[in-house]
Amino acid sequence: MSYVKSLTRRDLLKTSVAAGSLLVIGGGFVAASNAAWALEVTHLKSSTMATLIQMARDIYPHDNIADEFYAAAVKGYDTAESKGPVEEGIAALNAAATGRGHASYLATGWERDRVDTLRSMESSPFFQQIRGGLITGLYNQKAVWPVFGYEGESFSKGGYIDRGFNDIKWV
Amino acid sequence: MSVSFDKKDGNVVVVIGTGPGGGVLASELAQKGVKVVALEAGGRHGPEDFVNDEWASFGQISWLDSRSTSGSWRVAKDFSGLPAWIVKGVGGSSQHWAGASLRFQEHEWKTQTVYGNVTGASLLDWPIDAKTMDPYYTKAEEKLRVTRTGGRKGLPGNNNYKVFEAGAKKLGYKDVHTGRMAINSKDYDDFVACQQTGFCFQGCKWGAKWSAGYNEIPVGEATGNLEVRINSQALKIEHDASGKVTGVIYADADGKQHVQKARIVCVAGNSIESPRLLLNSASSMFPDGLANSSGQVGRNYMRHMTGSVYATFDKPVKMWRGTTMAGIIQDEARHDPSRGFVGGYELETLSLGIPFMAAFLDPGAWGREFTSALDQYENMAGMWIVGEDMPQETNRVSLNYDVKDQFGLPTPNVHFDDHPNDIAMRNHAYKQGAAVYDAVGAVRTFPTPPYPSTHNLGTNRMSAKARDGVVNKWGQTHDIKNLFVSDGSQFTTGAAENPTLTIVALAIRQAERIASEMSKGNI
Ligand SMILES: Cc1cc2nc3c(=O)[nH]c(=O)nc-3n(C[C@H](O)[C@H](O)[C@H](O)COP(=O)(O)OP(=O)(O)OC[C@H]3O[C@@H](n4cnc5c(N)ncnc54)[C@H](O)[C@@H]3O)c2cc1C
Ligand code: SF4
């Protein structure tokens, strides 16, 4: 995924600061720290989008799924309508993290501690909206299905009648 | 195929809904020479445009009109606006269905007698029994080409079934097989055998699974006696001063309203829309809704005691490959109160793809306990629990006057509380289901809560006496001679079995009755 087409690795390192351990942010974008992908952000603050991406991973952590898929799952919140509630929700998340002695949500080093922060706001509409949205936002991306081994439709390949519908060996 | 009847033609039978209830009834009547207009709220889809993608298919064919929920059932919390998963379109929910086709057990027609008094349950004997239904079940099995009946062979077992079968046998279960399925286990002249594609819930793109939409309706249309009017949602049934129904007001695709005159009206919109339509048809003569002198319209809503058990193993299963539900354990279907509940349940193989698994495995859950289960998706096996739930008068479909639909009519609210018998049965089934997988080395097991209801039953119940229910033993309303109910809302009680074969058998029987009463001039 490269939503910021002109971004080179050099530009990126020049203009960005680390946000958590995996992401970097700069003016109007969030990117992987190795510059493998970048996401342009127009309405939200870059730091808000980076926090949202981390939050998405902490809600549904899959170590085999790269950040870019979490970014794709939440990039829809970067709109004029969502801006208000999302900035507000992320501010509340940061306040909850600070209240627990961390510099911010993103600066919280251990997943365990971030999850504790999330638990403290689990019943908020903001948390529930982000969580609920991820169910389709994350798991309905065809590109993540192979990570789970899921093969998707099989009609175009003639079904599994000759392709292992009963190929289990261990029972 | 393209017959069309005049809206003022008061000699036609109007059938509302074209699922296994209405679709079979309409087609059977047409084959007997009766002129039928079938009003179908949705459009027409088939193998050529079915989409084998869970959410895309859901968006394409499911009933998405506004509905609300109340009560202590878990669906009200997890899916408050989606009490039921059913289809809007020609063929009804048989587009989505898995095809499991089982007869009731003999005692399940007489549960009040056999189970005795169960506190809080409105048990009632059906006014018909296994003997009455036997020939119609046979006809239904022929129509649906049900495997393991009439000499038809069973489907081959897929990976999910093999795990299930091995666990079941280790546990000592005896009645274990690949099910009685309305899915072709061989090629027929016009229909191909199951290709093990694995998207039975999304509409079978091979047409190997029976659907009222492409198997039944076209046969009726070919007679020239059946007109199916799509995108035509019935809003109200009209009647005359004598109390006989005279026609149906419906809205077309543009929301424009029409009246189709009728000699007889048959309601088959499934157990939420059928009572809703009767209630929305209230008039000064019938202020509580049509056919509701007993006050039973909408009551005794049943949804089967359901749940699922998934399990992960240390080796691959790939449960999504092949037929979604071709596997069953029937040993627990018996009535044996020593287990701590009346009635019984079936265990049936089930698989969901990753998109639905994420939504349904443990709705609302998050964090590593949840995601580590999904990480094992390839090593997962699954089964569905379906058992008899207790009818309760307070479980009901009623009108929600606060929320109106696109036609300005009150929407349906579905209220449901589990009966203690349902809970005891579910807990037993969770334990047995987990034991099946533990017997073959499960690493973890997951007692998964019920999905939005796929089996919706009982809201216009059949009863011998008019005061106990809404329809008589023919599905004819007690109050109005030329008004019939032709879907699962007729069910007096739910039995442990998936309901559709019984809905079809009742529709075949009702078609015979209506045709003969018409020719005798009785209606
Ligand atoms: C995912 C899934 C799997 C299932 N698997 C099985 C299984 O394996 N075995 C089994 O026995 N059952 C199964 N079922 C249940 C089965 O689909 C239903 O029992 C069956 O379809 C009910 O038939 P019906 O005719 O009563 O209602 P439906 O099939 O729901 O048909 C009702 C029709 O009426 C139309 N309608 C409603 N209101 C109006 C109106 N006002 N005007 C005009 N039209 C209207 C609807 O659009 C719909 O087409 C499954 C269901 C689902 C969703
Ligand atoms: S598994 Fe068989 S019945 Fe199910 S969708 Fe595929 S071909 Fe059709």
Side-chain angles (χ1 to χ4, degrees):
Chain A
M1 183 170 76
S2 182
Y3 297 99
V4 181
K5 296 226 173 45
S6 54
L7 205 71
T8 66
R9 187 177 165 80
R10 241 181 89 239
D11 291 337
L12 198 137
L13 295 177
K14 238 180 14 214
T15 59
S16 62
V17 295
S21 53
L22 298 163
L23 303 170
V24 294
I25 56 176
F29 69 88
V30 176
S33 46
N34 65 0
W37 58 270
L39 171 67
E40 197 174 356
V41 191
T42 38
H43 299 277
L44 298 174
K45 287 189 256 173
S46 305
S47 61
T48 299
M49 182 54 87
T51 308
L52 209 47
I53 294 169
Q54 184 66 54
M55 180 185 178
R57 174 177 289 287
D58 292 336
I59 293 175
Y60 291 120
H62 292 285
D63 297 343
N64 290 333
I65 296 184
D67 278 320
E68 63 175 296
F69 299 107
Y70 290 98
V74 295
K75 72 176 177 357
Y77 293 108
D78 185 33
T79 63
E81 308 86 79
S82 304
K83 182 180 164 173
V86 171
E87 290 290 358
E88 208 174 289
I90 292 295
L93 180 65
N94 278 323
T98 334
R100 307 178 83 83
H102 308 292
S104 70
Y105 184 78
L106 266 180
T108 309
W110 287 97
E111 177 182 315
R112 182 185 60 222
D113 293 331
R114 291 193 303 274
V115 166
D116 283 345
T117 300
L118 289 176
R119 288 250 176 255
S120 74
M121 57 184 297
E122 187 178 15
S123 54
S124 71
F126 173 68
F127 177 89
Q128 285 305 332
Q129 180 179 357
I130 302 296
R131 189 202 60 72
L134 284 168
I135 291 292
T136 44
L138 180 63
Y139 297 107
N140 206 30
Q141 290 181 52
K142 285 202 169 82
V144 308
W145 293 353
V147 174
F148 298 101
Y150 181 52
E151 297 169 288
E153 72 84 29
S154 71
F155 174 73
S156 65
K157 303 186 190 85
Y160 293 105
I161 187 127
D162 300 317
R163 297 190 315 120
F165 76 99
N166 59 357
D167 64 357
I168 196 164
K169 292 289 174 327
W170 58 267
V171 286
Chain B
M1 175 116 192
S2 54
V3 62
S4 86
F5 295 107
D6 195 296
K7 294 197 196 92
K8 296 198 184 66
D9 185 346
N11 277 318
V12 300
V13 173
V14 173
V15 177
I16 298 165
T18 57
V24 168
L25 176 71
S27 173
E28 288 279 316
L29 284 173
Q31 290 171 62
K32 293 178 198 306
V34 177
K35 312 265 182 240
V36 180
V37 173
L39 299 175
E40 170 50 58
R44 203 188 271 252
H45 297 283
E48 61 293 342
D49 70 339
F50 285 145
V51 186
N52 282 181
D53 174 306
E54 290 176 318
W55 286 118
S57 169
F58 183 80
Q60 181 190 34
I61 61 176
S62 298
W63 184 284
L64 302 172
D65 291 11
S66 172
R67 286 172 171 164
S68 55
T69 48
S70 58
S72 57
W73 57 323
R74 178 134 177 210
V75 169
K77 169 170 164 275
D78 294 337
F79 307 99
S80 60
L82 192 75
W85 177 14
I86 40 191
V87 172
K88 183 192 264 194
V90 176
S93 308
S94 62
Q95 304 279 53
H96 263 329
W97 82 315
S101 300
L102 304 171
R103 295 182 179 209
F104 278 22
Q105 302 165 75
E106 201 168 331
H107 69 267
E108 287 170 329
W109 298 100
K110 303 284 167 213
T111 55
Q112 187 182 30
T113 304
V114 178
Y115 301 171
N117 199 14
V118 177
T119 310
S122 48
L123 287 171
L124 187 69
D125 290 352
W126 288 65
I128 50 179
D129 59 15
K131 201 159 147 265
T132 320
M133 290 307 291
D134 177 67
Y136 298 99
Y137 268 139
T138 302
K139 285 183 185 169
E141 286 163 347
E142 288 305 313
K143 190 187 275 300
L144 274 59
R145 298 184 293 276
V146 178
T147 61
R148 286 200 174 75
T149 70
R152 284 168 289 267
K153 66 177 185 175
L155 288 163
N158 68 351
N159 290 334
N160 198 25
Y161 175 72
K162 288 186 170 181
V163 174
F164 175 88
E165 180 191 45
K169 297 243 154 106
K170 279 211 175 140
L171 220 60
Y173 282 140
K174 299 279 179 324
D175 202 355
V176 185
H177 53 84
T178 58
R180 284 188 276 282
M181 305 297 295
I183 294 179
N184 300 332
S185 55
K186 66 173 188 94
D187 289 336
Y188 292 87
D189 285 347
D190 296 328
F191 297 102
V192 72
C194 171
Q195 302 296 302
Q196 303 289 338
T197 317
F199 281 84
C200 307
F201 283 174
Q202 281 67 43
C204 178
K205 285 195 74 67
W206 302 95
K209 179 191 82 176
W210 181 87
S211 161
Y214 49 79
N215 289 121
E216 205 53 37
I217 292 287
V219 178
E221 286 174 324
T223 65
N225 293 324
L226 169 61
E227 177 190 353
V228 176
R229 237 170 259 166
I230 60 169
N231 300 315
S232 299
Q233 186 156 335
L235 307 179
K236 189 176 174 167
I237 301 169
E238 297 190 309
H239 64 82
D240 62 18
S242 76
K244 273 175 57 181
V245 297
T246 54
V248 179
I249 304 179
Y250 69 94
D252 66 18
D254 304 318
K256 206 167 156 260
Q257 298 196 2
H258 307 266
V259 180
Q260 174 63 53
K261 291 284 171 204
R263 174 164 167 189
I264 295 172
V265 174
C266 303
V267 183
N270 205 326
S271 299
I272 298 177
E273 292 309 313
S274 290
R276 177 183 177 225
L277 181 61
L278 296 180
L279 295 172
N280 269 335
S281 300
S283 63
S284 52
M285 188 169 179
F286 300 113
D288 298 325
L290 294 189
N292 199 19
S293 64
S294 63
Q296 292 292 310
V297 171
R299 291 189 182 274
N300 308 299
Y301 169 73
M302 296 173 286
R303 58 174 318 275
H304 271 141
M305 182 290 294
T306 67
S308 309
V309 179
Y310 293 94
T312 54
F313 296 85
D314 59 359
K315 297 181 207 70
V317 177
K318 301 184 198 278
M319 66 172 170
W320 64 87
R321 292 185 173 184
T323 328
T324 305
M325 200 174 257
I328 193 166
I329 299 170
Q330 302 207 269
D331 299 67
E332 301 286 1
R334 69 192 193 280
H335 168 59
D336 170 6
S338 73
R339 291 173 299 180
F341 52 86
V342 300
Y345 62 88
E346 313 272 356
L347 299 171
E348 300 172 350
T349 55
L350 173 70
S351 143
L352 300 178
I354 267 287
F356 272 12
M357 191 59 80
F360 296 121
L361 178 65
D362 187 5
W366 58 280
R368 285 201 184 260
E369 185 186 5
F370 178 76
T371 55
S372 61
L374 289 185
D375 283 337
Q376 296 299 311
Y377 178 73
E378 197 167 1
N379 299 352
M380 199 180 265
M383 69 171 81
W384 196 53
I385 304 162
V386 50
E388 178 161 25
D389 58 345
M390 288 297 105
Q392 301 179 71
E393 283 211 337
T394 48
N395 285 345
R396 65 188 291 204
V397 172
S398 58
L399 298 179
N400 180 350
Y401 292 94
D402 297 333
V403 183
K404 302 279 165 65
D405 70 3
Q406 62 271 40
F407 309 108
L409 293 175
T411 51
N413 181 69
V414 182
H415 180 95
F416 190 88
D417 297 305
D418 284 308
H419 186 279
N421 195 76
D422 307 346
I423 295 170
M425 191 193 288
R426 183 177 293 116
N427 288 336
H428 190 273
Y430 277 151
K431 198 166 119 270
Q432 292 310 111
V436 165
Y437 290 134
D438 284 338
V440 274
V443 179
R444 287 163 74 187
T445 58
F446 308 90
T448 293
Y451 314 129
S453 316
T454 54
H455 300 174
N456 297 273
L457 304 167
T459 48
N460 293 306
R461 80 187 329 194
M462 193 183 270
S463 64
K465 298 192 188 108
R467 64 158 193 270
D468 293 335
V470 180
V471 299
N472 68 14
K473 64 179 176 177
W474 304 106
Q476 182 179 32
T477 62
H478 288 300
D479 297 352
I480 302 174
K481 224 165 100 178
N482 64 341
L483 177 63
F484 288 74
V485 174
S486 318
D487 60 17
S489 67
Q490 296 173 84
F491 280 34
T492 312
T493 53
E497 292 73 26
N498 314 56
T500 307
L501 186 75
T502 304
I503 293 174
V504 170
L506 288 171
I508 296 172
R509 180 167 170 270
Q510 189 179 70
E512 264 183 30
R513 173 73 178 182
I514 290 177
S516 91
E517 288 293 282
M518 282 175 84
S519 64
K520 287 184 202 142
N522 291 342
I523 35 176

